Amino acid sequence: MAAGSSAPTASEYIVHHLAHLNSSGAAQKKIIDFSIINIDTVFYSVLLAVLTGWMLRAVAVQVSSGVPSRFVGAIESIVEFVHEQARSIVHGDVRMIAPLALTVFVWIVFMNTMDLIPVDLLPRIGELFGIKYMRVVATADLNAPLAMSLVVLGASIYYGIKIKHPGGFVKELFTAPFGAKLVLAPFNFALQLIEYAAKTVSLGMRLFGNMFAGELLFMLIALLGATATWWGFGLHFLTGMAWSIFHILIVLLQAFIFMMLTLVYIGQAHEGH
């Protein structure tokens, strides 16, 4: 809350921290409102995207025939792992697909890792500059994961058209999975649309749900420290440390799952029903 105001209740604290800095200048009331832009989500996602590109380029520049540093060696291991996963899942040219998967993985790891920063730190700094609301975990905002899911949808459709050619792609929409009969064409097309929609929504919702739950749990843990009791401070420290350690696994796992499903969906576009 703003400096100089009375101490908020637990519900006020959580509601305040779940509000976005958006283009309306106030806390967003609707769950979905396409007229409002969450400025904090855009800022942190773009900032971390730039950081992702800078880091990967810096590592690429340092690669040589000599002995690599530990950092370069670690990134090379990740690159090789992602490339092998791409080759095993996508039966085709992966020269553009593997870098896409690598970028998705590193970018999501960076965005998820923002959840490990103390929940009040950056919002408090923002308040010093007159920023009333701020959420720093872009993947805990449904807009960001769904936007990335739409990019994956676009990539799968692009490769479907590229591999099968426009005629073959459209033919598959109306002939799979029930067969190439005119009476079944509407059902095939409807099922294909449902399949594409289900893949896109589930891909984004999985990442959002896990990161939103993790962010909310960090807020509840932070409230333990506001009890002004020895047991509250003790539980705040112990549970915060335990959840932070466990959350590292979630950060990496969710990025890995999103990356793998990206490869799976693009790989399916290379194959026929």
Side-chain angles (χ1 to χ4, degrees), residues 103-137:
T103 303
V104 164
F105 176 75
V106 178
W107 188 24
I108 293 178
V109 166
F110 280 165
M111 288 191 287
N112 290 353
T113 303
M114 296 295 289
D115 218 1
L116 299 176
I117 298 175
V119 67
D120 285 309
L121 179 59
L122 293 178
R124 289 292 185 185
I125 294 175
E127 287 179 359
L128 298 177
F129 295 92
I131 300 174
K132 188 176 181 181
Y133 302 106
M134 182 187 294
R135 291 182 66 184
V136 303
V137 186

Side-chain angles (χ1 to χ4, degrees), residues 125-207:
I125 294 175
E127 287 179 359
L128 298 177
F129 295 92
I131 300 174
K132 188 176 181 181
Y133 302 106
M134 182 187 294
R135 291 182 66 184
V136 303
V137 186
T139 45
D141 177 9
L142 183 58
N143 294 282
L146 282 184
M148 290 187 288
S149 299
L150 288 174
V151 173
V152 175
L153 171 64
S156 63
I157 293 175
Y158 166 78
Y159 279 103
I161 296 174
K162 180 180 180 180
I163 299 301
K164 301 165 188 174
H165 304 293
F169 178 78
V170 173
K171 179 181 178 181
E172 185 176 82
L173 288 178
F174 291 94
T175 59
F178 298 127
K181 294 184 178 180
L182 184 61
V183 69
L184 296 176
F187 301 99
N188 288 327
F189 183 66
L191 194 61
Q192 289 279 357
L193 293 181
I194 293 172
E195 181 181 351
Y196 277 116
K199 287 178 181 179
T200 303
V201 174
S202 63
L203 183 62
M205 288 295 293
R206 181 183 293 104
L207 176 59

